[in-house]
């Protein structure tokens, strides 16, 4: 098969995917990306909608003959087992192509060198790529940081869920606005929807946008995603052995049963038959893969982690998929940390549950939660579940899902 036929084979696949791409709902990141940049990277956990995002951009931006200048490819396609991406790009570029979209870039073993060479060898080519959240592009790709525009995508916020599921449009609010104006915000939204049932449904099913496609098989789809992250994405990015993959999977399942207890890491490593260094690498991989959240105090550096102070599953939907009867207190804390870490520094405090931006102290709980544990501490708040409208420093927990 010559280069032209190879190119046409993939463009047909691209056209079919583009036709099936929905345009009724756009993720929060869509409007934040400067699509004119020459090299754009989008990372994020599997299942958060990265592929749909770039296909929506193509569908919205390129019409008629302009579509001939665009090529979308996904490197998890078996086609690339026997064909070189560099040959394909050469054919595309020489035929007038100027916009290349590479999905699942981490499936290419030499993805770092690939991106650098494409950027250097095709100066008129605009490149957008997506990859696992395990990728650390800015620190690992030589000569790319000065030209790379990097974005990280997360799962659905509660605000996005309200639009995606209920067609209730709510603008994002800053944390400061939420703290000061939560009563007005709550009353406005609660006039449009029964917020408590909607929030409960979001916690159980709403973090991953694909929940609408799978219906009753959501849990099995999430567990398949977990297996792919550990068994495929992890070894594609880091040089790990099959034994390490098995231990990493066991670590995740063991931690999932114990969160959010303060971890006894020495005992955990002994149980996994591994040492401290390898254990920390596995723990870090699970966090980067979007499966865990690691909470540390103000003293520790996130880049030099010796032991987290608390470990959480990444999000409530993942927690419920692993354990349908998860403790509600843990779910509440998991939600709060997940939503706040999108754009805020969240740490483990001496008192309370979380300190945000080294300024705001939070205790998370049910509607009967009181201030006993954080009384007399400035800038302290309760994030409380099962209430529609709060008062003063007692704020509905669901409000913190409106931040992005």
């Amino acid at each position: 098969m010559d280069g032209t036929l190879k190119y046409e084979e993939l463009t047909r696949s691209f056209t079919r995917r583009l036709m099936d791409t929905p345009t009724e709902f756009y993720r929060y990141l869509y409007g934040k990306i400067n699509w004119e940049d020459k090299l754009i990277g989008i990372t994020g956990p599997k299942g958060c909608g990265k592929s749909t995002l770039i296909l929506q951009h193509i569908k919205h931006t390129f019409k008629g003959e302009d579509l001939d200048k665009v090529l979308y490819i996904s490197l998890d396609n078996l086609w690339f087992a026997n064909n070189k991406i560099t040959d394909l790009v050469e054919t595309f570029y020489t035929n007038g192509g100027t916009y290349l979209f590479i999905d699942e870039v981490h499936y290419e073993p030499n993805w770092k060198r690939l991106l650098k060479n494409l950027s250097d060898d095709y100066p008129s080519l605009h490149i957008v790529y997506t990859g696992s959240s395990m990728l650390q592009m800015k620190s690992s790709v030589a000569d790319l940081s000065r030209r790379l525009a990097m974005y990280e995508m997360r799962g659905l916020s509660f605000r996005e869920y309200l639009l995606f599921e209920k067609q209730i449009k709510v603008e994002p609010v800053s944390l400061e606005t939420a703290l000061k104006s939560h009563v007005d915000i709550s009353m406005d939204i609660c006039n449009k929807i029964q917020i408590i049932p909607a929030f409960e449904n979001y916690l159980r099913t709403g973090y991953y946008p694909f929940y609408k496609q799978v219906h009753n098989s959501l849990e099995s789809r999430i567990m398949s995603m977990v297996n792919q992250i550990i068994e495929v994405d992890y070894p594609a990015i880091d040089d790990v052995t099959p034994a390490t993959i098995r231990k990493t999977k066991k670590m995740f399942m063991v931690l999932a049963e114990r969160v959010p207890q303060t971890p006894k890491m020495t005992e955990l490593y002994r149980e996994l038959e591994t040492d401290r260094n390898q254990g920390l690498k596995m723990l870090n991989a699970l966090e980067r893969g979007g499966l865990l959240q690691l909470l540390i105090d103000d003293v520790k550096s996130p880049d030099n982690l010796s032991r987290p102070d608390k470990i959480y599953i990444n999000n409530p939907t993942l927690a419920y998929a692993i354990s349908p009867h998860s403790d509600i207190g843990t779910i509440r804390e998991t939600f709060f940390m997940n939503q706040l870490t999108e754009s805020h520094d969240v740490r483990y405090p001496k008192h309370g549950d979380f300190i945000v931006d080294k300024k705001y102290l939070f205790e998370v709980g049910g509607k009967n939660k009181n201030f006993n544990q954080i009384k007399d501490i400035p800038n302290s708040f309760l994030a409380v579940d099962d209430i529609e409208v709060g008062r003063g420093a007692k704020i509905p927990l669901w409000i913190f899902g409106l931040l992005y």
Side-chain angles (χ1 to χ4, degrees), residues 56-328:
Q56 285 176 328
H57 168 66
I58 296 170
K59 195 169 186 177
H60 176 77
T61 306
F62 300 95
K63 309 291 183 182
E65 295 182 355
D66 286 342
L67 198 56
D68 295 334
K69 302 176 182 178
V70 177
L71 178 62
Y72 165 89
I73 53 177
S74 182
L75 296 192
D76 64 348
N77 191 319
L78 287 176
W79 188 92
F80 289 102
N82 297 314
N83 297 278
K84 293 182 178 179
I85 182 176
T86 50
D87 293 341
L88 175 68
V89 174
E90 176 67 22
T91 301
F92 170 63
Y93 192 77
T94 55
N95 281 277
T98 54
Y99 291 87
L100 176 65
F101 296 83
I102 306 175
D103 212 354
E104 305 282 12
V105 73
H106 57 282
Y107 279 81
E108 165 58 42
N110 296 312
W111 52 269
K112 303 173 188 178
R113 183 180 301 173
L114 171 68
L115 289 173
K116 182 183 185 305
N117 290 345
L118 292 180
S119 183
D120 289 341
D121 296 344
Y122 302 97
S124 299
L125 191 63
H126 289 255
I127 302 171
V128 179
Y129 69 86
T130 75
S132 165
S133 54
M134 289 186 180
L135 299 183
Q136 295 179 340
M137 300 299 301
K138 284 188 177 181
S139 61
S140 59
V141 182
D143 300 328
L144 282 183
S145 59
R146 58 185 171 83
R147 59 187 115 168
L148 172 63
M150 194 72 184
Y151 300 88
E152 182 178 1
M153 193 171 180
R154 304 170 71 87
L156 290 174
S157 67
F158 182 50
R159 183 194 70 83
E160 290 182 293
Y161 174 82
L162 289 176
L163 179 59
F164 190 47
E165 177 70 20
K166 305 293 185 181
Q167 287 75 56
I168 303 295
K169 185 174 182 179
V170 180
E171 294 298 326
V173 299
S174 68
L175 177 59
E176 289 73 18
T177 299
L179 298 181
K180 294 177 182 178
S181 306
H182 63 89
V183 174
D184 292 337
I185 295 170
S186 300
M187 292 179 69
D188 179 59
I189 295 175
C190 290
N191 281 332
K192 303 172 184 176
I193 188 174
Q194 289 185 317
I195 200 68
I196 302 302
F199 184 55
E200 291 175 351
N201 288 335
Y202 165 78
L203 294 176
R204 286 192 171 273
T205 65
Y207 188 73
Y208 300 103
F210 59 71
Y211 77 88
K212 277 196 173 185
Q213 303 168 354
V214 296
H215 303 293
N216 294 330
S217 60
L218 178 62
E219 289 80 7
S220 61
R221 169 71 182 271
I222 290 176
M223 292 311 299
S224 295
M225 179 191 72
V226 170
N227 288 331
Q228 185 162 356
I229 290 170
I230 298 175
E231 296 175 359
V232 180
D233 290 3
Y234 185 20
I237 291 162
D238 293 337
D239 184 16
V240 294
T241 65
T244 297
I245 294 171
R246 289 193 297 272
K247 290 179 182 179
T248 304
K249 185 181 293 187
K250 183 177 180 180
M251 172 183 275
F252 177 67
M253 298 309 297
V254 168
L255 289 173
E257 295 174 355
R258 301 176 183 176
V259 294
Q261 300 297 321
T262 301
K264 297 179 179 179
M265 303 308 294
T266 302
E267 293 181 9
L268 176 61
Y269 300 153
R270 188 182 303 115
E271 185 175 347
L272 297 172
E273 298 180 342
T274 191
D275 59 26
R276 175 182 175 277
N277 289 338
Q278 187 62 40
L280 285 174
K281 288 181 181 179
M282 293 189 296
L283 192 66
N284 181 255
L286 291 171
E287 181 190 33
R288 287 188 289 133
L291 298 180
L292 294 179
Q293 300 181 97
L294 308 183
L295 186 64
I296 61 176
D297 63 26
D298 282 336
V299 177
K300 297 186 182 73
S301 167
D303 299 322
N304 187 25
L305 181 62
S306 59
R307 179 184 65 82
D309 291 281
K310 272 191 175 183
I311 298 175
Y312 293 91
I313 298 301
N314 179 270
N315 62 82
T317 303
L318 176 58
Y320 274 127
I322 298 169
S323 178
H325 303 292
S326 294
D327 175 71
I328 186 60

